Amino acid sequence: MGQRIATKFTKGDRIFLAGDAVHTHSPKMGLGMNMSMQDGFNVGWKIALAVAGTVKHEILATYNLERYPLAEMLLDFDRHWSPMFTDQKPSDEKDTKTAAMFDIAGKFEDFADGWKVFYPGSCLICKPVSEAVARYIVPGERLKPVKLRNQAEGGTKWTTRLLESDGRFRILVLAGDIRNPMQKGRLETLCQVLAGQFTSKLSALDRYVSIPGCYDSPIDVVTIHSAPWKESEFFDFPEILRPFDLVRGWAYDKVWCDDSCIFDRYCDGTAYEKWGVDWVLGALVVVRPDQYIGWVGELGDVDEMTEYLDNILVRK
């Protein structure tokens, strides 16, 4: 088996290679298809938004920065993996060999599926300088999928469906337990800052150019709180988190709850636990259009979040 990799994935900002054009290896485990699709997805949304004039062209350089190290990891794995299929062992050693193969495949599964990718720091990935407020929400990795309950009507949905890949960056307001008066005050302060009430400049939600023909803003805000579904109401949240549209009405799809649901066993109310977020204090998270985590902070870190977005999106 030949394991080969090109010297780089890009040439300037006009030529981008993906999949077998830049890395080849054995066909075992379907890794070539998985990695090729991830290559294409990574560069696809970046090119689309750059051509639309929504993001700065500098982000195109992150394609090679993010995907090349993964291709090297893949080839290194394949060099150790593929010989196991061709190495002829005596029959009394086959069971041991099979067990070893299952063990290796299990350890590598998260990487093969795109969950553990370890994107390095860049304009798109802001690595924390101190202990993160969300232990398992790591910038540079994909957001772990969980199922949430809609605050308005009680239905459930996976975050992979909720954070639709439509070109927008998502600000996840992990609001914590809003039954706590102090926490509700923090949330209201956050919303005032997001609305630009304390500055003469455009707010973080209004300062960037639109996605032409699609959305007025490249920013979408989704709120996920940790209070029990029956002990909170949709209208308990500030209006900026549930905006009103003259055509669509209230944005009922913008407020979600991390609570269990008796008719959906996958909605078990453990999102905050799986993300490593304090269920009272919450957190603030920016998720890229491809559902990779770009930035994480506390509810009060709006200035830092805005600085992160300013490095990516084109200002009005």
Side-chain angles (χ1 to χ4, degrees):
M1 295 293 181
Q3 289 88 15
R4 301 179 181 88
I5 186 170
T7 55
K8 55 184 178 180
F9 281 31
T10 63
K11 185 175 183 180
D13 60 357
R14 296 182 62 85
I15 300 175
F16 301 87
L17 303 177
D20 289 351
V22 280
H23 48 74
T24 60
H25 46 84
S26 76
K28 306 306 180 184
M29 289 184 67
L31 297 177
M33 182 178 68
N34 282 356
M35 290 294 290
S36 297
M37 289 180 175
Q38 293 168 36
D39 288 347
F41 194 16
N42 184 289
V43 72
W45 70 266
K46 295 173 182 177
I47 292 176
L49 293 182
V51 171
T54 304
V55 300
K56 299 177 180 179
H57 277 253
E58 288 80 359
I59 76 161
L60 296 177
T62 64
Y63 173 56
N64 188 81
L65 179 68
E66 292 179 348
R67 298 304 301 174
Y68 195 88
L70 299 185
E72 291 182 314
M73 290 174 63
L74 173 62
L75 265 65
D76 183 65
F77 171 79
D78 194 64
R79 289 188 187 100
H80 295 86
W81 175 256
S82 57
M84 301 186 73
F85 290 88
T86 57
D87 185 23
Q88 298 298 318
K89 296 287 186 181
S91 58
D92 59 347
E93 297 183 22
K94 286 185 177 180
D95 290 343
T96 302
K97 177 182 175 182
T98 301
M101 292 175 70
F102 272 107
D103 182 59
I104 294 173
K107 292 179 179 178
F108 198 70
E109 184 176 7
D110 284 346
F111 174 80
D113 290 343
W115 298 116
K116 294 291 184 181
V117 291
F118 315 111
Y119 286 166
S122 67
C123 60
L124 284 174
I125 301 294
C126 181
K127 295 292 186 180
V129 295
S130 59
E131 185 176 351
V133 296
R135 295 189 305 278
Y136 309 131
I137 299 181
V138 181
E141 295 185 7
R142 284 196 67 180
L143 182 70
K144 187 177 182 62
V146 296
K147 212 163 193 181
L148 303 169
R149 194 166 194 181
N150 183 265
Q151 183 59 52
E153 43 83 13
T156 62
K157 183 176 287 190
W158 285 102
T159 50
T160 45
R161 295 293 302 276
L162 177 62
L163 309 178
E164 182 181 358
S165 182
D166 54 14
R168 290 183 292 179
F169 286 76
R170 258 60 182 214
I171 296 176
L172 299 188
V173 178
L174 305 183
D177 189 352
I178 62 168
R179 296 174 301 173
N180 184 308
M182 293 184 63
Q183 183 63 10
K184 190 167 185 179
R186 294 188 191 98
L187 180 63
E188 291 173 348
T189 300
L190 165 67
C191 292
Q192 291 171 351
V193 175
L194 288 176
Q197 294 185 18
F198 303 128
T199 179
S200 59
K201 301 178 181 179
L202 289 174
S203 72
L205 304 184
D206 299 322
R207 63 200 290 137
Y208 307 113
V209 300
S210 65
I211 302 178
C214 296
Y215 300 101
D216 293 334
S217 173
I219 302 292
D220 184 33
V221 180
V222 176
T223 301
I224 304 169
H225 70 90
S226 62
W229 177 61
K230 292 184 178 180
E231 297 183 27
S232 50
E233 297 289 342
F234 177 75
F235 290 101
D236 290 342
F237 295 84
E239 187 169 340
I240 194 172
L241 302 179
R242 48 172 180 82
F244 182 81
D245 184 87
L246 293 175
V247 176
R248 303 182 184 89
W250 292 105
Y252 292 111
D253 61 337
K254 299 303 180 187
V255 181
W256 297 80
C257 173
D258 179 24
D259 195 9
S260 60
C261 181
I262 59 173
F263 59 78
D264 190 335
R265 66 188 179 96
Y266 295 107
C267 185
D268 56 5
T270 61
Y272 272 55
E273 178 183 344
K274 291 175 180 176
W275 290 339
V277 177
D278 188 290
W279 68 279
V280 175
L281 299 177
L284 201 59
V285 181
V286 177
V287 180
R288 308 184 335 178
D290 54 3
Q291 297 189 15
Y292 286 89
I293 301 153
W295 176 90
V296 181
E298 299 179 3
L299 290 185
D301 294 337
V302 179
D303 288 343
E304 290 85 347
M305 181 190 70
T306 303
E307 182 179 356
Y308 163 77
L309 293 170
D310 281 348
N311 290 328
I312 302 168
L313 299 169
V314 176
R315 299 275 297 273
K316 290 181 178 178

